[in-house]
Amino acid sequence: QVQLQESVPGLVKPSQTLSLTCTVSGGSISSGNYFCNWIRQPAGKGLEWIGRIYTSGSTSYNPSLRSRVTISVDTSKNQFSLKLSSVTAADTAVYYCARETNENPIDYWGQGTLVTVSS
Amino acid sequence: EIVLTQSPDFQSVTPKEKVTITCRASQSIGSSLHWYQQKPDQSPKLFIKYASQSFSGVPSRFSGSGSGTDFTLTINSLEAEDAATYYCHQSRSLPYTFGQGTKLEIK
């Protein structure tokens, strides 16, 4: 069974770039046909979709974040990556990576990683 | 962007009670509506996909219905372990969106 695990960046300073990776285990990215979605959740609040990337590299982003977001894939490391630039305190949240397939909507999620933006 | 509005925001219920949570979409999304359960400090778990299909391993007391703009998640004979926040999510069009969540408290 595919499992996803986000990296732990911890604290990011305002105006800097947040960088996260999602490591996939239980199968090779290059042999799968699915999307990796990035979703975030501020403490005590709801879920916000950030964007997604297909295993081929095709991307889609939330228009509200598009100017600051880059999602990429590294098949050699079996990882997906998220970069969010020019962060502010409003970007403080738990960030999740989650899989979506042609058969299923977003089905399996990583455990999530808390990113705090603070000086 | 498709807006999903859930009701109620919060519900306090007793065990064995039947619970209904609704999700309304701002435009028709066919059956591309899914339900997730999230417990504190856990990631969301897919429970119902495409409006009415139960995901693998989900207890049979959970069911979903609806199409177009109006959808319902029903929990028959509520159990204590069902205390959680439930979110609806649409995958009909990008950007993907989620409802604001319905928090279920067990009395």
Side-chain angles (χ1 to χ4, degrees):
Chain A
Q1 180 176 318
V2 172
Q3 292 187 317
L4 302 94
Q5 176 71 57
E6 302 90 350
S7 58
V8 185
L11 191 65
V12 182
K13 289 181 166 43
S15 79
Q16 291 188 339
T17 295
L18 176 166
S19 295
L20 292 174
T21 58
C22 176
T23 301
V24 179
S25 59
S28 171
I29 289 175
S30 57
S31 63
N33 291 305
Y34 58 87
F35 293 95
C36 173
N37 288 266
W38 287 96
I39 296 149
R40 69 181 182 178
Q41 185 174 35
K45 297 189 178 180
L47 300 160
E48 179 182 28
W49 182 77
I50 298 170
R52 70 178 187 179
I53 186 166
Y54 198 55
T55 44
S56 64
S58 173
T59 55
S60 300
Y61 300 127
N62 192 322
S64 66
L65 296 168
R66 179 178 288 136
S67 63
R68 299 195 290 131
V69 175
T70 302
I71 298 175
S72 59
V73 59
D74 186 336
T75 54
S76 67
K77 295 181 179 179
N78 233 36
Q79 288 180 339
F80 298 95
S81 295
L82 168 71
K83 292 187 186 299
L84 182 65
S85 63
S86 304
V87 298
T88 69
D91 296 310
T92 294
V94 174
Y95 286 73
Y96 297 100
C97 59
R99 188 187 77 157
E100 174 191 2
T101 68
N102 290 331
E103 294 75 33
N104 282 333
I106 296 172
D107 52 7
Y108 292 104
W109 301 57
Q111 66 184 32
T113 187
L114 175 62
V115 177
T116 302
V117 179
S118 174
S119 55
Chain B
E1 171 175 317
I2 296 174
V3 177
L4 299 178
T5 304
Q6 293 180 228
S7 62
D9 292 332
F10 174 85
Q11 192 168 6
S12 183
V13 292
T14 55
K16 300 188 178 180
E17 194 173 333
K18 179 180 177 179
V19 173
T20 299
I21 299 171
T22 64
C23 178
R24 175 163 288 176
S26 58
Q27 59 188 267
S28 179
I29 56 173
S31 297
S32 299
L33 190 285
H34 323 291
W35 292 96
Y36 296 83
Q37 178 194 69
Q38 185 180 33
K39 295 185 177 182
D41 298 320
Q42 293 185 18
S43 55
K45 291 180 171 59
L46 177 62
F47 264 46
I48 302 291
K49 61 177 183 175
Y50 299 108
S52 61
Q53 300 174 29
S54 293
F55 191 58
S56 175
V58 172
S60 59
R61 61 183 180 275
F62 289 86
S63 63
S65 64
S67 66
T69 60
D70 293 302
F71 301 86
T72 300
L73 173 69
T74 300
I75 311 173
N76 283 300
S77 193
L78 191 79
E79 297 191 8
E81 66 181 29
D82 301 333
T85 300
Y86 293 84
Y87 292 95
C88 59
H89 156 59
Q90 66 82 20
S91 62
R92 178 60 178 258
S93 69
L94 299 176
Y96 285 165
T97 50
F98 294 85
Q100 81 277 16
T102 295
K103 185 173 183 178
L104 215 52
E105 174 191 87
I106 311 299
K107 291 178 183 174

